[in-house]
Amino acid sequence: MPTVVVPFRGREGKSRLARLPLEARAALREAMLADVLAACEVVGATYLVTSAERRPGGAILVLDEGRGQGAAVAAGLDHAALAGAPAPFLVVNADLPCVTARDLLALAGAIPDEGLALAAALDGTTNALALSSQELYAPLYGAGSAARFAALAPSRMLGVPNLVDDVDTVEDLERLRGRLGPETRRVVGRLHAGAAA
């Protein structure tokens, strides 16, 4: 079974959702995280890297020291390795509210020998990684990161829609509405009800 690392920026994340009220943004971030964790925990031991307080569920908490996504993922992978967690290692962003366990197993199954598989966002950043070993990881996040990760080792790019489609804007939420996980769908429904009231 794979080991999964989920970096979560907590209150600082999702600045492009700024047109939503602060409370709504926080609820949406937490809901998307809950849907991602629900999928991850079916697949294998899940390490949540965050500075936020512990939340219910089976994820193992790893402290995010606030040095960016690359360092947060490295901390999660280090913690998992020290605990003897098995390869392969999946790294899954917390803004993929459509993801399912089946998508994650497809990602793990796509890893070439001694290589990695990845799902790129539409803008060329990286939404999810699957590493045959922890040693393959390098902190390459940012603009164009998918191409940089793909160059690290033998690699395979996956076009699985639920891994490609992340949520950065309110428009993304509307576009993905029919595929959202249950927690995100519930929060979006509340936001629509509040707007209509």
Side-chain angles (χ1 to χ4, degrees):
M1 288 182 68
T3 299
V4 190
V5 172
V6 178
F8 177 62
R9 290 178 59 195
R11 294 201 166 271
E12 296 78 39
K14 294 289 145 207
S15 59
R16 285 186 279 179
L17 290 171
R19 74 184 220 205
L20 291 174
L22 188 60
E23 186 176 306
R25 267 183 296 173
L28 187 56
R29 283 191 303 267
E30 292 290 335
M32 289 193 295
L33 174 64
D35 285 328
V36 169
L37 290 177
C40 292
E41 290 169 9
V42 169
V43 169
T46 301
Y47 293 79
L48 173 63
V49 188
T50 183
S51 59
E53 292 179 13
R54 194 179 225 345
R55 53 190 37 81
I60 300 157
L61 190 70
V62 178
L63 179 63
D64 180 356
E65 296 181 351
R67 293 180 290 128
Q69 184 173 4
V73 170
L77 290 170
D78 287 346
H79 197 97
L82 284 172
F89 295 93
L90 308 186
V91 179
V92 183
N93 288 359
D95 61 354
L96 299 172
C98 304
V99 74
T100 67
R102 188 174 193 160
D103 301 322
L104 298 176
L105 291 171
L107 181 66
I111 302 171
D113 287 344
E114 298 182 21
L116 60 92
L118 67 153
L122 297 176
D123 63 3
T125 58
T126 306
N127 283 345
L129 283 170
L131 307 162
S132 60
S133 71
Q134 180 201 7
E135 290 75 23
L136 285 177
Y137 177 73
L140 301 175
Y141 287 98
S145 65
R148 292 192 299 276
F149 278 118
L152 285 176
S155 62
R156 185 169 292 138
M157 192 82 70
L158 256 70
V160 175
N162 292 340
L163 291 171
V164 170
D165 291 329
D166 56 356
V167 171
D168 289 323
T169 66
V170 173
E171 290 74 23
D172 289 334
L173 281 172
E174 291 303 318
R175 180 172 55 85
L176 302 175
R177 196 165 181 189
R179 287 192 279 135
L180 296 173
E183 293 301 318
T184 307
R185 196 165 51 245
R186 183 178 54 77
V187 170
V188 169
R190 273 198 342 242
L191 293 176
H192 279 287

